[in-house]
Amino acid sequence: MKGIFITGTDTGVGKTYVAAGIVRTLRQQGVDVGVMKPVETGCDAAEAGLVPADASRLMDAAGVDDPLEIVSPYRLLLPLAPYVAAAIENVNIDKGAILSCFKTLSERHEFMIVESAGGIMVPIVQDYLYLDLASDMGLPALIVARPGLGTINHTLLTVSALKSRGIKTAGIVINQSKDQRFGLAEKTNPAVIERMSGLPVLGVIGFGSQDFHAISMQLIANSPLVDK
C-alpha cells in the first residue's frame, strides 16, 4: 500500500500537527494525499453529531471532499482509548469496516496518511491494537516523539513493538508540542535515538514551526509508490 501510518510515543505528542504539516507539504508538491483517522475519541458534541477535530484538520490540510464517514468512521465522545470509550458509549467498532474505508480511500488517492489515536499499543477493540491495524493496512510507520526526558525509552519501546510485527518504520519525527527551552536532554536525545534505534530522525519540529519540507521530501524519496 502507498502511504504512511502515523503513530506517537504517547498521547499529546502532536501527531495531528505533524500529520497535517506533512499533508500540506505533500499537497504543495503535487501529491494527491488522502487522510484517515479511523477512530477519534474526545470529539466535540454538536447538534449535527460528534465533530472530530483531528480528522477535520487533516481533511482541511489535504483539501479533500471525501465523506467524513469514511475518513473518520468511528467518532466517540469520551477522551479515552477507543476500546474503553466504545465500551462505555455502547458503540461496536468493526475493524473490517475500518479496513473497508481505508481501501476505498487508498483507491481514490495517490498517497494515504493514516493517524492513530495515542500510541501503537492503544486498543481499538479487545485484542486488536493500532499495531494490528498498521499491519493489516500494510503501511510503514512514522513515529512522532516528544523531545524531552523520557523520550528515549518511549521511542525505543515503540520501535520494538513495530519491529516485533515486521512493520517497516520510515523514521522518527521529534515534535516540540510545548513552548519551552531546549535543555541538555532535548539537545542530545535525537542523536541517541537515531543511534540506538537504527532509524533516521527525519526532523526536529520546533514549537509552532510550519516547515515540514525536509521531512516530506524524505518520505517522497523513500516511497517507490509516489511519482517523483
Side-chain angles (χ1 to χ4, degrees):
M1 287 293 181
K2 46 190 179 178
I4 291 290
F5 190 95
I6 295 183
T7 189
T9 55
D10 199 354
T11 188
V13 295
K15 292 187 308 299
T16 304
Y17 185 82
V18 171
I22 292 172
V23 168
R24 281 193 303 270
T25 307
L26 290 176
R27 184 183 174 195
Q28 290 166 2
Q29 296 300 313
V31 179
D32 175 17
V33 186
V35 295
M36 188 177 186
K37 178 94 174 185
V39 186
E40 182 160 344
T41 62
C43 294
D44 295 325
E47 290 185 8
L50 294 177
V51 179
D54 292 351
S56 299
R57 187 173 183 179
L58 293 176
M59 292 176 70
D60 181 65
V64 296
D65 58 1
D66 299 313
L68 181 61
E69 289 70 24
I70 62 173
V71 173
S72 183
Y74 292 99
R75 302 176 295 278
L76 300 163
L77 179 65
L78 297 174
L80 303 170
Y83 169 52
V84 180
I88 294 173
E89 296 176 40
N90 295 314
V91 174
N92 179 37
I93 296 179
D94 181 358
K95 62 184 181 182
I98 292 174
L99 292 171
S100 178
C101 291
F102 171 70
K103 183 175 184 295
T104 298
L105 288 168
S106 63
E107 289 171 349
R108 291 186 178 195
H109 299 284
E110 182 183 13
F111 195 84
M112 284 296 300
I113 298 286
V114 180
E115 184 195 339
S116 73
I120 201 67
M121 299 300 286
V122 168
I124 300 172
V125 297
Q126 187 173 356
D127 300 324
Y128 192 78
L129 313 175
Y130 275 102
L131 181 69
D132 302 303
L133 183 61
S135 178
D136 287 344
M137 287 181 169
L139 294 176
L142 179 69
I143 301 170
V144 180
R146 66 178 81 252
L149 192 64
T151 197
I152 294 175
N153 176 63
H154 294 160
T155 305
L156 293 181
L157 285 172
T158 301
V159 170
S160 178
L162 290 164
K163 285 183 176 179
S164 74
R165 291 297 300 274
I167 298 172
K168 180 181 177 181
T169 302
I172 299 161
V173 173
I174 296 177
N175 179 56
Q176 185 185 6
S177 60
K178 297 180 180 179
D179 187 10
Q180 56 191 39
R181 294 181 62 184
F182 268 30
L184 188 58
E186 288 82 1
K187 292 176 181 177
T188 57
N189 281 339
V192 174
I193 288 171
E194 195 167 60
R195 184 167 60 250
M196 295 188 69
S197 69
L199 295 170
V201 172
L202 301 180
V204 178
I205 302 299
F207 180 75
S209 172
Q210 296 294 320
D211 186 7
F212 290 88
H213 181 79
I215 294 169
S216 300
M217 291 305 96
Q218 290 178 83
L219 293 177
I220 291 177
N222 293 328
S223 174
L225 297 172
V226 175
D227 293 334
K228 310 297 192 295

